[in-house]
Amino acid sequence: MSGAVEVFLDETPGETRGAILRDGRYTHLLIQRDDDPAQARLGARSIGRIAEVNPGLRGAFVDLGDAPAFLPFNRNDRLSQGQRLEVVVTAEPRAAKCAVVRRLGPGEGAPRLLEAASTVAAQLRMLAPDTELITGLAAVDAVMEAEEEALARTHVFSAHGVDLSLERTRALVAVDIDHAPRPGRDAKQGRAAANREGLKQAARLIGLRRWGGLVVVDLAGDGQDAEAQAKTARAAFAHERQAVFGSVSRFGLLELSLPWRRTPLEEVLLDADGRPTLQTRTLSLVRRLRRHMMSDTTTPRIVVRCAPDEAALVAPLASRLGPRALVLADVAAPAGRGRIEES
């Protein structure tokens, strides 16, 4: 990817976020929460103990100390229960699946963390080298905007006549590219342009949401231009070297497979019903409080008034913002509707 790049780092008590904006569109939203199991983060290196060998799954379950993990093995591998190994996380937990690890070599001693995963700041520098990190109010706004875009179900790119829908099911990620033809424009060229933009934006949004697995794309039009459509898809996902592409069917359906690496964004932020979790609501209140304090440096007290269960979690985090921050529990405040007031 090329073009104008802005990189944002927001360090709010309880959670650090990073966002990357390329050509006016968010491509990455990184989140690390203080209470995330350190040994389950992508890239963390640990000593693990084989807790169970499961030949049927062609793998073993590994005790990392503060988190379980799954270690795939080859047919010729010989592992035994209780064996110690040095491992590195290659995929974070998702849904009912634990983290996936790769064996680095033999290990000794109790399960423990050897080397923590990269910080959000370090990841941002790796993804966008030689780009200055933007902090402060701009960073707070950016990570909130990136979250809003990532969780949206549909996206309209009117300049290209594209209506894009993305949905993740248990089995796959479904992408639907709809095209609204423009009067006076060649229909075939219009569909080709819509598919180029739709695939480009789908690749960006799938990365933003941290999805992987099987992806099925319903392209605009049929599969008469299958070769050109496949080439367009490969270009859109060129940043993902482990992507595996199928052919475009005569119905205009494209299948591809992407690796899983990080916990999907919705599993970090939302509950099973698609609503923000208590932790997400809590951290959002702290971020809003911090933003207000940065934008108003003269008011003696900035108060967040919220539901009692939220207040109990917000209070210790808000105390790290200094004496100007005050948290009040309000039994009348609906969940997720906390208010920021000046006092």
Side-chain angles (χ1 to χ4, degrees), residues 193-209:
N195 283 328
R196 279 195 300 273
E197 184 65 17
L199 285 165
K200 173 185 173 183
Q201 297 300 338
R204 177 182 67 85
L205 290 164
I206 287 171
L208 185 62
R209 298 178 184 190

Side-chain angles (χ1 to χ4, degrees), residues 38-46 87-90 101 113 115-118:
Q39 283 155 267
R41 289 177 178 168
L42 183 67
R45 189 166 57 86
S46 301
V87 297
V88 62
V89 175
T90 59
V101 295
L113 181 68
E115 183 179 344
S118 299

Side-chain angles (χ1 to χ4, degrees), residues 47-343:
I47 295 296
R49 180 184 65 85
I50 301 295
E52 177 190 346
V53 178
N54 193 317
L57 296 176
R58 296 184 63 179
F61 292 97
V62 182
D63 174 19
L64 299 179
D66 69 348
F70 181 74
L71 171 66
F73 58 68
N74 297 322
R75 188 172 301 174
N76 297 328
D77 286 346
R78 296 292 181 265
L79 299 175
S80 58
Q81 188 171 346
Q83 183 177 353
R84 265 65 171 180
L85 300 171
E86 182 178 334
V87 297
V88 62
V89 175
T90 59
E92 295 178 344
R94 57 184 172 86
K97 296 179 172 62
C98 57
V100 177
V101 295
R102 174 170 55 85
R103 178 168 52 174
L104 297 177
E108 295 182 357
R112 63 194 186 278
L113 181 68
L114 295 178
E115 183 179 344
S118 299
T119 64
V120 170
Q123 293 174 53
L124 291 171
R125 292 189 182 99
M126 182 178 63
L127 291 166
D130 304 319
T131 305
E132 183 179 356
L133 298 181
I134 300 171
T135 59
L137 281 171
V140 174
D141 291 340
V143 299
M144 292 170 66
E145 289 173 359
E147 175 187 332
E148 183 178 357
E149 181 175 15
L151 295 179
R153 291 286 296 273
T154 60
H155 303 263
V156 177
F157 305 95
S158 54
H160 300 271
V162 174
D163 186 342
L164 183 66
S165 174
L166 298 92
E167 182 178 3
R168 177 184 165 220
T169 71
R170 289 182 59 184
L172 53 82
V173 172
V175 179
D176 183 27
I177 302 174
D178 280 340
H179 173 230
R182 293 182 179 180
R185 184 172 183 180
D186 180 86
K188 183 177 180 180
Q189 291 182 356
R191 286 194 300 270
N195 283 328
R196 279 195 300 273
E197 184 65 17
L199 285 165
K200 173 185 173 183
Q201 297 300 338
R204 177 182 67 85
L205 290 164
I206 287 171
L208 185 62
R209 298 178 184 190
R210 310 191 316 197
W211 288 349
L214 178 63
V215 179
V216 178
V217 183
D218 185 3
L219 297 162
D222 53 30
Q224 291 184 1
D225 298 321
E227 185 175 345
Q229 292 167 342
K231 184 177 180 180
T232 299
R234 291 178 184 277
F237 289 89
H239 61 282
E240 181 48 77
R241 296 183 178 180
Q242 294 183 350
V244 178
F245 296 84
S247 57
V248 177
S249 77
R250 62 191 180 94
F251 301 108
L253 296 177
L254 167 68
E255 293 184 6
L256 64 144
S257 177
L258 300 172
W260 282 105
R261 292 195 181 93
R262 296 191 181 275
T263 304
L265 201 64
E266 69 273 15
E267 292 182 19
V268 174
L269 300 173
L270 308 177
D271 61 20
D273 296 321
R275 294 189 294 262
T277 64
L278 173 59
Q279 185 182 27
T280 296
R281 299 197 308 268
T282 296
L283 293 169
S284 177
L285 283 169
V286 178
R287 182 168 286 106
R288 287 171 50 201
L289 176 61
R290 177 169 172 262
R291 186 193 187 286
H292 201 111
M293 293 175 67
M294 285 190 291
S295 61
D296 179 355
T297 59
T298 59
T299 301
R301 281 289 180 92
I302 306 296
V303 180
V304 56
R305 190 184 299 273
C306 56
D309 58 343
E310 296 170 351
L313 297 177
V314 170
L317 298 175
S319 67
R320 292 159 56 182
L321 297 174
R324 294 177 63 222
L326 178 64
V327 180
L328 296 179
D330 184 351
V331 294
R337 299 290 182 87
R339 302 193 309 275
I340 307 295
E341 304 171 349
E342 299 176 0
S343 173

Side-chain angles (χ1 to χ4, degrees), residues 2-40:
S2 61
V5 181
E6 292 181 279
V7 182
F8 303 91
L9 176 66
D10 170 51
E11 296 177 297
T12 288
E15 181 182 74
T16 300
R17 289 189 178 193
I20 297 180
L21 189 72
R22 296 182 186 269
D23 295 326
R25 301 282 185 184
Y26 290 102
T27 59
H28 294 79
L29 176 58
L30 308 176
I31 297 177
Q32 280 187 358
R33 290 178 168 175
D34 291 357
D35 59 356
D36 288 341
Q39 283 155 267

